[in-house]
Amino acid sequence: MPPTPCSLCHTARALVKRPKTGQQVCKDCFFEVFETEVHNTIVEGQGIFSRGERVAIGASGGKDSTVLAHVLSVLNKRYDYGLDLYLLSIDEGITGYRDDSLETVKQNQVEYGLPLKILSYSELYGWTMDKIVEQVGRRNNCTFCGVFRRQALDRGAAQLGVDHIVTGHNADDIAETVLMNIMRGDIARLGRCTAVTTQSEDTIKRSKPFKYAYEKEIVMYAYFKKLTYFSTECIYSPDAYRGHARVFLKDLEAIRPSAIIDIIHSGESFVLEQSVQKGMKAMQTCLRCGYISSNDLCKACALLEGLEAGLDRSALRQTQDSGTAAPEGYRTIPKYERYGSYSQPAAPTEGIEKAVQAIEIR
């Protein structure tokens, strides 16, 4: 039986069957169509980026952020976006997981010639995830990590002096988030979780260039490009609530591959009624650390106070009303300073400046 030709160029042998479309394509056509689709997401409408922006890539060392760093570097050169790209990594303090993945990030930093900033939970909060799990157990640890990580990214970006953070969230991640928000009845997040770009008044703009990219295709791209990435799952995530949504989504995808994109489009169609919007809390700044919050204390400050008091999460809600001043002897989060425009040079990255040598990215 003769080999199947590529459905796009009709000359080379097809090596890849795209999970997203079912097309059978050759390796080169797969690279081209994958990169073009990401570019289309970036430029759609008013576009994600503005020329001259300083953009931090949230880098974990995993497949998504590694492919994102590679593709953005390629597209920035190919289409002359005019971006200054940086790598920003958060060290949660998970022995045997994050310490190993950060070595991969440092290798990516040298390969792509991008400056790297690493900010740790220990430095910012005085706690590592290992210590948090030791105190609260594995049942609720993802709540702490999610809240702490989001704020850490904003603070790391502010220290770098960047205008914009991009993350490797892919189509599977976003579809899972839609399902999770429906199951939890989280109306506020359901209304914004499918947006390519989000920004609050006091936070740095965030975008998801891989919004329509399937996880399987990102893995295939990394494999055929022979990119260096860390593939181990977080040791504390097996019991995470997201896992239930992921299993359900994979079952749907096996029956109907377009289910992932269909769920995203459904999420995009949700519109909150005015009466619901009016009933939602107005955003303000945390009176303790200055980060954006819907209460006098932001979630990170409330969770940190609970940890300092030796409480488990079931008792942490009481800290929201415990007053704005931290009890004596408790560690607190440094004041958050967010500048609307960075005319001054960014603070130097810790330990690593520009890469010693940049390779030519093909």
Side-chain angles (χ1 to χ4, degrees):
M1 186 174 179
T4 304
C6 171
S7 62
L8 295 178
C9 69
H10 306 292
T11 55
R13 178 182 178 182
L15 293 178
V16 178
K17 182 176 181 180
R18 296 190 65 193
K20 185 176 181 179
T21 63
Q23 289 177 310
Q24 297 189 59
V25 295
C26 66
K27 189 163 63 173
D28 289 338
C29 284
F30 171 67
F31 293 152
E32 182 178 353
V33 73
F34 181 89
E35 292 164 3
T36 301
E37 287 177 0
V38 175
H39 170 68
N40 290 340
T41 300
I42 289 172
V43 300
E44 186 178 8
Q46 295 182 342
I48 290 177
F49 302 121
S50 299
R51 189 170 189 82
E53 271 191 327
R54 303 164 65 90
V55 179
I57 301 168
S60 66
K63 63 184 185 312
D64 299 314
S65 63
T66 298
V67 172
L68 180 61
H70 177 87
V71 170
L72 272 187
S73 297
V74 169
L75 297 182
N76 190 35
K77 181 183 295 186
R78 180 183 299 165
Y79 296 104
D80 191 24
Y81 293 158
L83 305 177
D84 289 329
L85 298 176
Y86 300 80
L87 297 176
L88 173 59
S89 293
I90 305 302
D91 180 3
E92 301 94 340
I94 304 175
T95 304
Y97 169 68
R98 183 56 73 213
D99 46 359
D100 291 338
S101 70
L102 285 177
E103 292 304 312
T104 303
V105 174
K106 292 173 183 176
Q107 188 172 343
N108 294 156
Q109 185 260 345
V110 173
E111 290 173 348
Y112 305 140
L114 302 176
L116 169 66
K117 166 73 179 177
I118 300 175
L119 182 63
S120 70
Y121 280 12
S122 178
E123 174 188 349
L124 187 56
Y125 306 114
W127 288 76
T128 63
M129 277 308 299
D130 286 342
K131 290 181 180 177
I132 291 171
V133 171
E134 186 179 326
Q135 177 154 313
V136 305
R138 295 198 176 201
R139 185 174 180 182
N140 298 308
N141 61 83
C142 289
T143 297
F144 288 85
C145 196
V147 171
F148 285 172
R149 182 177 175 78
R150 179 173 184 81
Q151 189 168 146
L153 276 171
D154 275 342
R155 288 173 177 272
Q159 290 177 22
L160 273 174
V162 302
D163 313 291
H164 200 155
I165 301 171
V166 291
T167 58
H169 291 95
N170 57 50
D172 300 55
D173 296 326
I174 296 170
E176 289 166 12
T177 302
V178 172
L179 293 174
M180 288 169 62
N181 289 332
I182 290 173
M183 289 188 287
R184 292 187 300 205
D186 194 331
I187 300 300
R189 287 189 175 89
L190 188 56
R192 63 176 184 267
C193 68
T194 57
V196 174
T197 299
T198 57
Q199 183 175 23
S200 302
E201 185 177 336
D202 256 350
T203 59
I204 294 170
K205 182 165 64 172
R206 292 182 182 226
S207 295
K208 301 182 281 276
F210 283 172
K211 175 182 174 180
Y212 298 115
Y214 275 34
E215 180 179 43
K216 289 179 181 176
E217 297 201 353
I218 291 172
V219 172
M220 291 162 62
Y221 186 95
Y223 174 77
F224 285 117
K225 283 285 187 181
K226 296 181 171 59
L227 302 183
T228 304
Y229 69 93
F230 186 76
S231 58
T232 303
E233 283 288 325
C234 175
I235 60 176
Y236 297 136
S237 69
D239 298 325
Y241 185 65
R242 177 175 289 273
H244 302 295
R246 180 173 294 126
V247 170
F248 179 55
L249 184 65
K250 294 304 179 189
D251 290 343
L252 288 178
E253 184 189 10
I255 299 169
R256 179 185 171 93
S258 66
I260 293 172
I261 292 295
D262 293 341
I263 290 171
I264 293 175
H265 289 325
S266 296
E268 292 170 339
S269 301
F270 285 117
V271 178
L272 296 182
E273 293 183 358
Q274 285 295 114
S275 58
V276 176
Q277 293 184 34
K278 289 179 180 177
M280 295 169 61
K281 287 186 176 181
M283 301 307 289
Q284 59 187 61
T285 55
C286 174
L287 298 179
R288 187 175 294 175
C289 77
Y291 191 74
I292 191 167
S293 174
S294 57
N295 297 293
D296 288 345
L297 285 187
C298 68
K299 287 184 179 179
C301 282
L303 291 171
L304 181 59
E305 183 174 326
L307 289 171
E308 292 292 307
L311 303 176
D312 60 28
R313 187 167 174 262
S314 62
L316 288 175
R317 295 185 183 89
Q318 299 173 11
T319 64
Q320 287 283 2
D321 303 313
S322 64
T324 58
E328 187 176 352
Y330 282 21
R331 283 168 286 197
T332 58
I333 306 172
K335 277 288 184 181
Y336 176 68
E337 295 182 0
R338 167 73 176 109
Y339 301 99
S341 176
Y342 288 91
S343 55
Q344 74 273 26
T349 56
E350 292 180 358
I352 305 177
E353 300 294 331
K354 282 283 188 181
V356 177
Q357 182 179 8
I359 64 168
E360 180 68 17
I361 300 174
R362 295 181 174 85

